[in-house]
Amino acid sequence: MSSLVVETVGLTRWFGRVQAVDHLGLAVPEGSVYGFLGPNGAGKSTTIRLLLGVLGPDEGLVELFGEPLRRNRLGLLRRVGSLVEEPSLYPHLTGAENMEVARRMVGATRAQVALALATVGLTEAAKRTVRGYSQGMRQRLGIALALLGEPDLLILDEPTNGLDPAGIMEMRDLIRALPETTGTTVLLSSHLLREVEQVATYIGIVNQGRLLFQGTKDELWAEAVDRLIVDVNDPARALRAMHDAGWAAIPRDETTLVVEGAGRADAGHINEMLLQRGLRVFALQRERVTLEDLFLRLTAAGERLGDTVKNPSRYEASHVSARPHALVGTGENGGSR
Amino acid sequence: MKHLMTALGVEVLKLKRTLAVALTVVVPLVVAVLQFCSMLQRARYGIYEADDPWGVLSHNMLLIYSLLMLPLFITLQTALLAGLEHNAKAWKRLYALPIPRSAIYFAKQIVTLGLIGLSMAVLVALMPVVGVILQAIEPRFALALDAIPWGRILSSAGIAYATSWTLIALHTWIATRWPSFVVATATGIVATIAGAVAWSSDYGVYYPWTIPGVIMHEVFYPEMGVGLAPIAIGFAAAPLIALVACWDVTHRDALGAL
């Protein structure tokens, strides 16, 4: 197993009475593109600020490259590039001057500045003041600032904000290539599942400050279980019959029910059972639950993965985890030692 | 020290295309024009400050500057420098960079000290210019260039400048701590107006916003006998405020990061 570039243990942060981050146990393996997913206000940006030491935690620990951030903040930050939400740019300075400000602080070379600007396609525009930049150009410059100094860890918070479709594709290709070309580990925060899905190798899903899932993309895909849509003459009776038989069914509309976790073989059994009970089945349709459905279900419920599955036997059979997949350790949220 | 030098270089770079440097010339120029008009006006009534024309010219210029312009100028410059970060929401980025927060804070303070020093140097440099023009317009002024009291001018300007560190430390703190430009400027304006009142009271020697003016005045007119209190306050308060402010600013969550 690869070592962890980012690890948090019991990370907690309150803003007044609001708990923005709730005992978060993040584990980002080296060389990964870690997609940090959650709806708006889930605690992603606060978590990132805690990782960078911009905010202090109320409880818990942040470790970067295996070392507590508190102990060696400057030394560790030297290896980190970041873009937190909108880029922080000085509008009265040119793009190149903004890069120069960062270059001096990071201790990068002028060649690295040129490379970062070229990477985001701003070499020419860098001579102009940022005041005249479009939102997309500002975002690109923010990414160039984050890339400066070829960091070992790149933390990008909603990096595609303001980018046009072509820019989003370029960004995606860049992020995907970084671990291979430079060995950079990328922590990518977003509320856009598709954006993360296409580049991430690991995924963490957070809502209301709590980690709902953490694991590889394949592990998350494994949660995408089938479901069966049953069109029946008496849905209320059918619902009772299915619950009696141990199926986790829920009404979808006036005539149909949804049975979570039901596969092809189950369709036959359900049909047979309903017919035996004198019900008339008009249609049985299998649907593949998408990652998006899973994400929405997780975040809307605000509960840990699997808690929403009603039938315990199905719950176990469908490989749905009761806790986030632990990359390391066995503690709550997968982050404890 | 290396970090501080880096932060200083960065702060200077950020001044490009801002009003900060232009103001270091404009503010003393306004003072010079005011004093020029004042002396010309008095000459119309036959007042040529015959006893000590250079003393009156330089004292008045320094008094207008240190009592009124200096506190407002410091307010404006510190608000402008901190505003660069507030407006760009740059604190969260600055605090995520591998440079100590204290270096960033002190760099801002040192740059302000530099700008104020530059401005005072311009003010002093404008004194002979004002004198020469006045002499050319009204030859009855006895403003010979070789009679300029450089010793008094430089010592009073120097001591006023040194004690302005207290104000710089205070206003850097306020401007950095509160993102609102209004808070920073309103504090300075109110404190300066209050200073104009405090100046003529017994408490003017203890009031940070009037101390540079009081001390400057004392150099020209030692018979006023204000003693060492303002100098002591000016010198002792500055490092204390600077350290407390630095501790406060660097131990808080990054401004604008919430």
Side-chain angles (χ1 to χ4, degrees):
Chain A
M1 181 177 285
S2 56
S3 60
L4 295 174
V5 169
V6 178
E7 187 179 14
T8 68
V9 182
L11 194 64
T12 302
R13 172 72 199 213
W14 292 81
F15 293 121
R17 289 183 174 185
V18 178
Q19 191 169 18
V21 177
D22 183 1
H23 295 90
L24 203 72
L26 217 56
V28 180
E30 188 179 6
S32 65
V33 175
Y34 186 102
F36 192 38
L37 272 168
N40 290 330
K44 302 186 299 292
S45 294
T46 303
T47 303
I48 285 178
R49 286 166 161 89
L50 289 164
L51 295 182
L52 293 167
V54 173
L55 294 178
D58 291 317
E59 282 176 48
L61 180 74
V62 174
E63 282 192 5
L64 301 180
F65 308 102
E67 198 176 345
L69 181 66
R70 207 167 27 196
R71 195 183 301 160
N72 182 18
R73 196 176 73 87
L74 296 185
L76 293 172
L77 288 179
R78 209 162 279 136
R79 300 174 64 186
V80 181
S82 63
L83 169 63
V84 183
E85 284 185 336
E86 77 231 73
S88 303
L89 304 171
Y90 302 104
H92 64 290
L93 300 181
T94 65
E97 286 162 352
N98 269 282
M99 291 294 283
E100 178 63 13
V101 166
R103 185 192 75 77
R104 292 186 191 184
M105 290 207 166
V106 171
T109 63
R110 289 200 164 81
Q112 286 174 322
V113 170
L115 181 66
L117 284 171
T119 304
V120 298
L122 280 180
T123 305
E124 277 304 308
K127 295 166 192 161
R128 288 161 37 201
T129 55
V130 167
R131 188 170 283 120
Y133 279 22
S134 67
Q135 200 189 337
M137 289 167 78
R138 285 168 186 250
Q139 197 69 13
R140 284 165 186 266
L141 187 58
I143 291 159
L145 289 166
L147 289 170
L148 198 57
E150 295 167 16
D152 295 323
L153 169 64
L154 187 62
I155 297 178
L156 301 172
D157 188 10
E158 310 278 2
T160 54
N161 274 355
L163 294 182
D164 56 22
I168 291 173
M169 278 182 68
E170 286 171 26
M171 182 56 49
R172 205 180 288 148
D173 292 342
L174 173 69
I175 291 170
R176 202 182 283 135
L178 274 171
E180 278 182 27
T181 53
T182 62
T184 306
T185 302
V186 182
L187 173 59
L188 169 69
S189 151
S190 178
H191 65 280
L192 302 172
L193 181 68
R194 289 188 189 284
E195 177 183 307
V196 170
E197 190 187 345
Q198 293 185 47
V199 294
T201 51
Y202 280 78
I203 287 178
I205 297 178
V206 68
N207 195 25
Q208 295 175 342
R210 290 191 302 160
L211 200 59
L212 305 176
F213 172 88
Q214 181 166 247
T216 64
K217 199 160 70 172
D218 290 342
E219 283 169 334
L220 185 60
W221 268 115
E223 316 301 348
V225 293
D226 287 350
R227 64 185 172 195
L228 194 67
I229 312 299
V230 184
D231 189 351
V232 66
N233 67 328
D234 188 342
R237 262 184 67 209
L239 189 66
R240 280 196 299 275
M242 277 195 264
H243 280 182
D244 290 345
W247 299 99
I250 50 168
R252 183 190 232 189
D253 52 41
E254 287 177 1
T255 60
T256 57
L257 303 173
V258 179
V259 188
E260 294 283 355
R264 186 167 176 266
D266 297 319
H269 293 310
I270 288 169
N271 186 36
E272 194 179 345
M273 183 269 292
L274 291 173
L275 290 174
Q276 280 172 358
R277 297 192 183 206
L279 289 151
R280 295 170 67 191
V281 178
F282 301 124
L284 282 169
Q285 184 190 350
R286 277 179 62 218
E287 271 187 10
R288 180 85 182 157
V289 175
T290 64
L291 213 52
E292 204 155 24
D293 293 330
L294 194 68
F295 172 71
L296 288 172
R297 196 179 73 196
L298 282 169
T299 53
E303 294 171 356
R304 293 185 192 288
L305 195 59
D307 288 357
T308 51
V309 180
K310 292 174 193 266
N311 187 322
S313 59
R314 298 288 160 217
Y315 161 72
E316 281 165 20
S318 62
H319 311 288
V320 177
S321 308
R323 66 177 64 213
H325 283 262
L327 296 174
V328 290
T330 54
E332 190 76 350
N333 286 350
S336 308
R337 293 173 160 190
Chain B
M1 188 52 95
K2 185 186 158 214
H3 288 305
L4 183 60
M5 294 310 288
T6 303
L8 264 174
V10 166
E11 286 303 320
V12 171
L13 178 59
K14 283 188 223 166
L15 292 179
K16 256 187 161 180
R17 297 182 205 93
T18 67
L19 286 173
V21 180
L23 283 172
T24 60
V25 177
V26 171
V27 169
L29 197 60
V30 168
V31 174
V33 170
L34 283 173
Q35 183 56 28
F36 173 80
C37 294
S38 165
M39 287 187 76
L40 210 57
Q41 176 74 19
R42 285 165 67 83
R44 283 189 184 169
Y45 296 100
I47 304 166
Y48 299 104
E49 322 292 357
D51 290 345
D52 185 11
W54 278 115
V56 170
L57 187 150
S58 54
H59 169 265
N60 288 359
M61 278 179 75
L62 281 166
L63 190 65
I64 296 169
Y65 182 88
S66 50
L67 204 61
L68 293 175
M69 291 299 191
L70 183 67
L72 294 176
F73 188 39
I74 289 171
T75 300
L76 210 58
Q77 291 287 28
T78 51
L80 202 151
L81 285 181
L84 293 176
E85 315 304 342
H86 292 312
N87 297 337
K89 295 182 179 167
W91 291 111
K92 66 178 191 286
R93 169 155 180 80
L94 284 175
Y95 282 7
L97 289 172
I99 193 153
R101 295 174 179 194
S102 54
I104 297 166
Y105 178 78
F106 278 115
K108 287 206 177 290
Q109 206 172 100
I110 292 168
V111 166
T112 311
L113 269 166
L115 290 169
I116 302 302
L118 188 64
S119 162
M120 289 193 92
V122 172
L123 182 80
V124 169
L126 281 171
M127 288 173 185
V129 177
V130 172
V132 166
I133 297 172
L134 276 173
Q135 186 68 41
I137 294 171
E138 181 49 80
R140 276 177 285 184
F141 278 119
L143 289 162
L145 274 176
D146 56 0
I148 298 173
W150 285 117
R152 269 190 297 169
I153 291 171
L154 293 177
S155 57
S156 59
I159 205 161
Y161 172 59
T163 50
S164 73
W165 184 22
T166 308
L167 286 187
I168 291 169
L170 264 171
H171 282 285
T172 304
W173 189 5
I174 293 164
T176 311
R177 178 82 156 66
W178 284 278
S180 167
F181 190 78
V182 176
V183 171
T185 48
T187 309
I189 291 167
V190 170
T192 305
I193 292 169
V197 178
W199 161 258
S200 53
S201 76
D202 292 341
Y203 305 105
V205 293
Y206 308 110
Y207 187 63
W209 282 266
T210 51
I211 284 176
V214 167
I215 291 176
M216 186 285 303
H217 186 67
E218 173 78 0
V219 174
F220 275 87
Y221 303 103
E223 63 273 17
M224 299 291 287
V226 296
L228 293 173
I231 298 177
I233 293 169
F235 284 156
L240 192 68
I241 294 168
L243 286 173
V244 171
C246 179
W247 188 90
D248 176 53
V249 171
T250 56
H251 283 75
R252 289 168 57 80
D253 290 330
L255 295 153
L258 308 182

